[in-house]
Amino acid sequence: MAQTYIGAPIRREEDRRFLTGQGQFVDDVKLPNMLHAAILRSPHPHARILSIDATAALEMDGVAGVITFQDIKDTVVPRPIPIRMRTYVGIERFLQYPLAEDKVRYVGEPVALVVAETRYLAEDALDGVEVSYDPLPPVVNVWQSMQEDSLLFEEHGTNLAYEFASSIGDVDQAFREADYTHKEEFRCHRHTANPLETRGLVASYASGRQELTVWGETKVPHFNRGVLASLLQMPEHRIHFIEPDVGGGFGVRGEFYPENFLVPFAAIKLGRPVKWIEDRLEHLISANHSREHVCELEVAAKKDGTILGMRTKIYGALGGYVRTHGASVPVSTAAMLTGPYLIPNYEWDVKCLLTNKVGMGTFSAPGRYESCFFRERMLDMMAEDLKIDPTQLRLKNLIPPTAMPYELGRTRPEDYSLTYDSGDYPAVLKKALEVIDYENLKLTGGQYKDGRFHGVGVASFVKSTGTGTPYEGARVVVTGPDQVAVYLGISTLGQGHETVMAQICADGLGVPMEYVAVYHGDTDLMPFGGGTFASRGTTLAGNAVYGAAQRLREKILRISAGYLDVDPNDVEFAQGHVYRKTPSSGEPELDLNQVLELAGPASKYNQGEMGLESTHYFHSSQECYPCGAHAVHLAVDPETGQIEILKYAIAEDVGHVINPLLLTGQVVGAAAQGVGATILEELVYDDEGQPLAGSFMDYLLPTSLDIPAFDVAILDLAPSPINPLGVKGAGEIGIVATGAALSNAVSNALGVQVTELPLSPNKIKELLGRKTQA
């Protein structure tokens, strides 16, 4: 009677309401007497604020209020927006307050909030707030930041927010003994996620109950509720966060931004509900940016290609302030730089530097996309120099499955060692090569055919998942005949929790999946929750659901056995019915509704407990490590600089798969996002610190014509041994190797080494110019 919902390609339950136009997003929240907010943002990258005069705005019809730093000072000082993860000594000096006080440090920084009867009136009233600025020299890159001719925080005397340098093994000896060394400087470009739905909030304060309700919080609502409670100096239990449907996040949406304080503060101050919805320009100049790093990388190897060691200097451009991720992205870039390879000696120096740009935060696979690009490009350069096929070089150096679990070492500032839980990295790479037919295809590399240069590129990776808060919780309740409710502490950003968690519950409990309804997105459902990030949904929340369902199943068996006067080991529960094991008639003894009645308040079978319910928190302080490999065949048009991807193969092992249909969709979606990020997207700033991308006319996103048909192979070779389901995170990993594989293929096509992203047409033409000169 085994159930098999886990592993089945079941369509997403939540898609029904989205496809029929019944989704409810934050902008659909409309409350009586609601006001609308607009934010006055700095037009300068670096300037002192001499004065703010809101008189003209306050005199305009329909304007309910204008809020500046002086209005919030007594509430928030000395409590700036805190770091959520990767906080290290000294970095807290550079945090951001919700509104600028005496200085602005990036174009787009909030200076004032205007609240009016309509969004149009609020936007118009922004012109009535007069701000006098004294511009200062901007710092636009890491090299200027290190010169410190212009300081973002003069009181601290430095632009270096944090530095972490350390090593494993004996790197100097590895380089002394090497037959081959190579040094290169790489640059990964600044870009960001662009969810279909921009950020937005609605806040309403009930003064009689002294309770605040906020709609639109997502990703980490429990953490954000705690931050807001601290800033507003009100009890956390009086704040209720509700997550409507969400139109994507990708790491950028859902952090605690200045607006997450300003909108609730305005609702309390004005005594009316307040709504703010971000427009696309605001998103591009205020939501977290990511990826901008410079990497100086050296490799030491034997002449047969065996890697002896690596050393690196990484310079991360944090932006104008340290945001909620602290030094997470630059530190993660260094921590995972050696990737899936056996590199016993490794030295790194990470510098986190302030620049007059939007703050750096996480974007899908933060630090892993960057480090994969740096490392995999270096491996291809090394393979060319040593005249070794790049795939054979990788196979020679990949960590073998017999070495698992593999202890990488302490590559983060925290006092723990990174340990890869399981994986067969060579088998995964071989699968990607098989899917793309590499042995035949590699002969086309560098060929000029039909007016285009052809190239083939590969890249391997491993990624940590399930990081951050080391727990998630779930509650499973039988609420009626054939009715099971699952309440999650984790939020969703569109991954498919309502389907996947129902599959896990159905198998873990022993009921048909149609019995199960999944609820999430309300901080009142569960008192604690870590959040949706770092591909931790299934690894932590999924195992919490499974644990709660298993415990409830045991309770059902105990109650049923008591009623049938048999040992609990002599009965089983499947498809919502209780069966005897021996002797087995094949007919059910009890159904779920009968068991529910036996679990009533007067029941002698429920050992004093009420009803059929179970709450479980799954704890894990150890990360999981899915792995994968990408292989690409592309063609480059030398006249236009355009890239056409002809074939793209992806092989991934994420442990046991709950829903292969959803997983494939996530892999394809992440890879498509990575293709766009690698070829088209860049947040360009000029030398004066002004952003040049203010809309999708300037910031190009991929269309269906830019995205290839991905050939995806999902393997289940190495389930994780550290959780009951054997799963590893999968939501982000499809993006990790896109930059690396595509740049390797372009280098192979043109015979010129790619050291910078993006692979835009202008960059391709620059590479072709170098090829011509050579």
Side-chain angles (χ1 to χ4, degrees):
M1 296 182 186
Q3 298 188 178
T4 55
Y5 293 110
I6 292 177
I10 297 171
R11 291 183 179 273
R12 294 190 355 151
E13 185 67 27
E14 45 270 72
D15 283 351
R16 184 177 291 106
R17 68 175 181 273
F18 296 143
L19 294 174
T20 57
Q22 298 179 74
Q24 294 290 310
F25 300 88
V26 64
D27 198 30
D28 294 315
V29 178
K30 296 176 173 61
L31 303 179
N33 210 27
M34 186 168 66
L35 297 168
H36 297 260
I39 297 169
L40 182 68
R41 301 183 183 275
S42 169
H44 299 283
H46 197 194
R48 300 192 192 282
I49 298 175
L50 303 178
S51 64
I52 302 177
D53 184 357
T55 304
L58 289 168
E59 291 176 349
M60 295 176 67
D61 290 340
V63 173
V66 177
I67 296 171
T68 66
F69 183 83
Q70 295 306 314
D71 297 296
I72 68 171
K73 183 176 182 179
D74 292 341
T75 302
V76 300
V77 175
R79 293 179 302 279
I81 298 170
I83 297 171
R84 179 171 66 82
M85 59 187 298
R86 309 297 181 200
T87 179
Y88 308 117
V89 175
I91 200 170
E92 75 285 345
R93 296 173 294 166
F94 306 103
L95 300 180
Q96 182 175 8
Y97 282 100
L99 289 170
E101 180 181 11
D102 55 5
K103 195 178 187 184
V104 293
R105 296 176 173 88
Y106 64 92
V107 173
E109 180 171 355
V111 175
L113 182 81
V114 175
V115 185
E117 296 294 336
T118 69
R119 175 68 182 263
Y120 301 104
L121 291 174
E123 292 278 358
D124 289 344
L126 294 178
D127 294 333
V129 181
E130 297 182 7
V131 184
S132 178
Y133 295 97
D134 177 21
L136 298 168
V139 177
V140 298
N141 58 51
V142 294
W143 309 125
Q144 288 182 358
S145 183
M146 285 190 292
Q147 290 172 359
E148 299 189 336
D149 295 332
S150 180
L151 295 173
L152 276 70
F153 291 80
E154 292 91 344
E155 64 270 29
H156 300 311
T158 182
N159 288 329
L160 180 62
Y162 179 70
E163 183 173 10
F164 174 48
S166 190
S167 64
I168 52 177
D170 190 335
V171 177
D172 290 339
Q173 182 177 344
F175 274 80
R176 284 194 301 269
E177 295 177 353
D179 302 317
Y180 168 87
T181 63
H182 187 94
K183 183 177 181 179
E184 198 70 50
E185 181 180 295
F186 300 99
R187 175 187 171 272
C188 189
H189 59 310
R190 173 173 285 250
H191 55 284
T192 189
N194 278 279
L196 186 63
E197 182 194 23
T198 56
R199 296 181 295 140
L201 294 165
V202 176
S204 179
Y205 183 66
S207 57
R209 298 194 307 272
Q210 296 183 319
E211 291 186 359
L212 175 69
T213 303
V214 182
W215 292 262
E217 293 282 358
T218 186
K219 187 179 179 180
V220 285
H222 288 84
F223 173 83
N224 286 0
R225 182 179 61 173
V227 173
L228 185 60
S230 174
L231 295 178
L232 292 174
Q233 301 176 56
M234 67 183 294
E236 190 171 337
H237 66 268
R238 293 189 181 274
I239 301 176
H240 312 283
F241 279 2
I242 298 173
E243 176 191 63
D245 289 322
V246 181
F250 313 110
V252 170
R253 187 167 174 212
E255 292 295 327
F256 198 101
Y257 289 95
E259 298 86 355
N260 294 67
F261 169 82
L262 294 172
V263 174
F265 179 85
I268 294 172
K269 180 180 175 65
L270 300 174
R272 292 173 61 182
V274 176
K275 173 187 280 191
W276 169 75
I277 302 295
E278 178 186 63
D279 63 33
R280 190 58 65 178
L281 171 60
E282 286 183 294
H283 181 81
L284 291 171
I285 63 171
S286 63
N288 286 342
H289 293 180
S290 201
R291 305 285 200 227
E292 185 180 358
H293 291 83
V294 176
C295 173
E296 296 173 353
L297 183 60
E298 294 180 82
V299 65
K302 296 179 180 179
K303 60 185 177 182
D304 69 353
T306 302
I307 301 173
L308 300 177
M310 277 186 173
R311 56 188 173 203
T312 186
K313 292 182 180 179
I314 291 173
Y315 308 90
L318 287 188
Y321 296 92
V322 172
R323 286 194 160 171
T324 51
H325 295 98
S328 176
V329 184
V331 165
S332 294
T333 302
M336 298 294 292
L337 188 70
T338 56
Y341 301 99
L342 191 63
I343 303 176
N345 306 292
Y346 173 47
E347 179 182 277
W348 64 92
D349 183 359
V350 181
K351 287 181 170 64
C352 304
L353 295 152
L354 300 175
T355 56
N356 289 121
K357 298 179 181 179
V358 175
M360 175 186 283
T362 56
F363 171 33
S364 296
R368 287 71 162 186
Y369 172 94
E370 298 94 308
S371 61
C372 189
F373 166 64
F374 302 148
R375 176 190 66 249
E376 298 294 313
R377 282 299 303 123
M378 178 61 86
L379 292 184
D380 262 30
M381 292 178 179
M382 177 179 159
E384 182 175 329
D385 290 345
L386 296 176
K387 295 179 171 49
I388 301 173
D389 181 273
T391 64
Q392 293 305 312
L393 178 71
R394 286 170 170 81
L395 289 169
K396 180 181 230 6
N397 289 283
L398 286 169
I399 299 167
T402 54
M404 296 296 170
Y406 177 77
E407 184 173 350
L408 175 62
R410 180 177 172 262
T411 59
R412 294 186 184 276
E414 291 86 353
D415 190 20
Y416 72 92
S417 181
L418 272 64
T419 301
Y420 298 166
D421 55 342
S422 63
D424 189 339
Y425 305 151
V428 174
L429 174 57
K430 289 176 182 177
K431 185 63 177 181
L433 300 178
E434 174 194 325
V435 171
I436 205 168
D437 191 19
Y438 176 79
E439 287 303 315
N440 290 318
L441 203 57
K442 68 180 181 181
L443 302 176
T444 65
Q447 289 187 7
Y448 184 75
K449 186 169 58 176
D450 299 326
R452 299 185 298 180
F453 292 103
H454 287 250
V456 180
V458 298
S460 291
F461 71 91
V462 61
K463 183 195 181 297
S464 58
T465 63
T467 58
T469 311
Y471 68 84
E472 278 299 342
R475 181 170 176 246
V476 179
V477 185
V478 178
T479 59
D482 306 339
Q483 296 173 18
V484 178
V486 177
Y487 300 100
L488 302 177
I490 198 170
S491 57
T492 182
L493 290 169
Q495 303 98 311
H497 287 1
E498 294 171 33
T499 304
V500 170
M501 301 305 173
Q503 289 177 258
I504 294 172
C505 177
D507 271 5
L509 181 56
V511 297
M513 186 175 162
E514 55 266 27
Y515 284 16
V516 183
V518 178
Y519 300 94
H520 56 84
D522 188 330
T523 51
D524 291 344
L525 293 178
M526 295 287 292
F528 309 105
T532 294
F533 60 95
S535 300
R536 62 195 298 280
T538 306
T539 56
L540 292 173
N543 277 288
V545 170
Y546 190 70
Q550 290 265 290
R551 290 185 176 192
L552 183 52
R553 181 193 188 100
E554 292 172 3
K555 183 183 292 187
I556 289 171
L557 292 174
R558 188 186 69 240
I559 292 170
S560 301
Y563 175 76
L564 297 172
D565 195 23
V566 298
D567 189 278
N569 293 323
D570 292 334
V571 290
E572 60 182 334
F573 185 67
Q575 293 299 323
H577 292 83
V578 177
Y579 296 85
R580 289 182 188 267
K581 288 184 179 177
T582 54
S584 175
S585 66
E587 296 297 322
E589 299 287 339
L590 298 168
D591 61 28
L592 186 58
N593 189 42
Q594 290 171 311
V595 180
L596 182 61
E597 292 176 355
L598 293 173
S603 172
K604 64 180 181 180
Y605 304 110
N606 206 9
Q607 299 181 355
E609 299 181 22
M610 285 289 293
L612 293 178
E613 65 90 22
S614 176
T615 298
H616 177 64
Y617 282 87
F618 177 74
H619 294 259
S620 178
S621 58
Q622 187 175 340
E623 299 162 333
C624 301
Y625 289 88
C627 62
H630 290 203
V632 184
H633 173 211
L634 53 75
V636 180
D637 187 328
E639 295 296 324
T640 64
Q642 294 289 329
I643 294 172
E644 182 184 0
I645 301 172
L646 303 174
K647 288 185 178 181
Y648 201 121
I650 302 173
E652 293 186 354
D653 187 350
V654 300
H656 289 330
V657 177
I658 305 299
N659 187 318
L661 183 64
L662 269 65
L663 174 59
T664 301
Q666 287 194 327
V667 171
V668 168
Q673 192 174 42
V675 168
T678 301
I679 294 177
L680 299 173
E681 302 175 40
E682 184 173 18
L683 288 160
V684 179
Y685 282 73
D686 67 16
D687 292 340
E688 300 303 315
Q690 289 292 333
L692 302 183
S695 73
F696 288 154
M697 292 290 289
D698 313 302
Y699 188 94
L700 297 181
L701 292 177
T703 69
S704 58
L705 297 178
D706 301 302
I707 302 302
F710 297 99
D711 292 321
V712 179
I714 303 297
L715 308 177
D716 187 356
L717 303 175
S720 177
I722 65 173
N723 64 72
L725 289 173
V727 295
K728 303 179 181 183
E732 302 169 73
I733 64 173
I735 200 173
V736 175
T738 49
L742 288 165
S743 58
N744 281 342
V746 168
S747 294
N748 180 248
L750 303 182
V752 181
Q753 301 297 355
V754 172
T755 58
E756 297 184 17
L757 295 176
L759 300 171
S760 62
N762 287 339
K763 179 62 66 177
I764 296 297
K765 289 181 179 179
E766 179 185 321
L767 292 170
L768 285 163
R770 285 163 46 189
K771 178 181 177 70
T772 301
Q773 292 174 4

